[in-house]
Amino acid sequence: MAAYDKADLERRMAGATEALKHDLAGLRTGRASTGLLDPVTVEVYGSHMPLNQVATVSAPEPRMLSVQVWDKQNVGPVEKAIRSAGLGLNPINDGNVLRLPIPDLTEERRKELAKLAGKYAEDARIAARNVRRDGMDSLKADEKKGMFGEDERKRLETEVQKLTDKTIADIDAAAHAKEKEILGQ
């Protein structure tokens, strides 16, 4: 068991929040967002590559994405990858450029996406709690090794708990904002 390291705990909790924000960016709202295509991988040159390594993604209009494919022979595989990504997008092929109109979301789909945002948030909360547990375990181990006494351990446990509470509040705020955006409130 490693010694208590506050900076490491802060970094790992921030990582849980950042991972959540990345996941939420991939959820589709009514507006075009280049983050929507982040999970798409394309099979080119005999391997699977992230879309952003074979094309430039931009949002020229609020309800349209544009994918500029760098190598003309990859337009077909990129189009196929976007269609099969399960994002509900239908690319329009203009030679080297794929245009992706963002369709309106149905009320049912909005509710599904809001539920998915809630699931992502719960996963992030669990990650933060796991970091907290690791921190508490290392504090107890350090106390047993005689690195500090019970009073110091309790003070540091309170610090870890405050960090956890702050992280979970950040996670809840990010999830709540995304749910409001998805539901159009």
Side-chain angles (χ1 to χ4, degrees):
M1 179 66 55
Y4 171 72
D5 181 353
K6 182 181 177 188
D8 182 56
L9 293 179
E10 287 173 343
R11 182 188 54 75
R12 289 171 57 200
M13 287 203 187
T17 306
E18 285 308 308
L20 170 69
K21 288 179 180 169
H22 182 267
D23 288 344
L24 292 178
L27 287 182
R28 186 159 71 87
T29 60
R31 287 193 301 278
S33 161
T34 57
L36 183 61
L37 297 177
D38 284 351
V40 177
T41 58
V42 185
E43 192 171 341
V44 288
Y45 310 121
S47 66
H48 288 276
M49 299 175 76
L51 179 64
N52 62 10
Q53 290 184 9
V54 295
T56 303
V57 180
S58 62
E61 300 170 32
R63 301 188 53 78
M64 175 80 68
L65 285 176
S66 172
V67 179
Q68 174 80 40
V69 183
W70 301 327
D71 186 345
K72 197 174 180 88
Q73 69 185 14
N74 293 336
V75 173
V78 167
E79 184 177 0
K80 182 180 170 203
I82 293 170
R83 281 187 203 280
S84 62
L87 297 170
L89 298 175
N90 208 0
I92 300 166
N93 191 337
D94 288 348
N96 271 16
V97 179
L98 295 172
R99 290 183 302 123
L100 303 163
I102 307 294
D104 280 332
L105 293 173
T106 62
E107 190 58 35
E108 185 179 320
R109 182 70 178 138
R110 286 180 189 274
K111 286 181 178 153
E112 284 174 23
L113 289 171
K115 204 179 283 184
L116 189 56
K119 180 191 171 303
Y120 287 161
E122 185 54 30
D123 290 347
R125 281 188 216 98
I126 289 169
R129 288 186 201 116
N130 287 340
V131 173
R132 178 181 134 244
R133 187 195 61 227
D134 291 349
M136 296 296 194
D137 289 350
S138 65
L139 285 173
K140 287 177 183 145
D142 287 353
E143 182 190 11
K144 278 185 182 158
K145 290 178 197 166
M147 294 172 82
F148 45 74
E150 184 180 353
D151 291 347
E152 180 67 3
R153 186 205 69 202
K154 286 184 178 176
R155 187 187 69 73
L156 291 170
E157 282 179 350
T158 303
E159 208 174 82
V160 171
Q161 186 59 50
K162 282 182 183 166
L163 177 63
T164 306
D165 293 343
K166 180 191 174 304
T167 302
I168 288 180
D170 291 348
I171 288 168
D172 291 344
H176 184 68
K178 188 65 174 191
E179 284 174 13
K180 277 180 72 170
E181 185 183 342
I182 289 169
L183 297 172
Q185 296 170 339

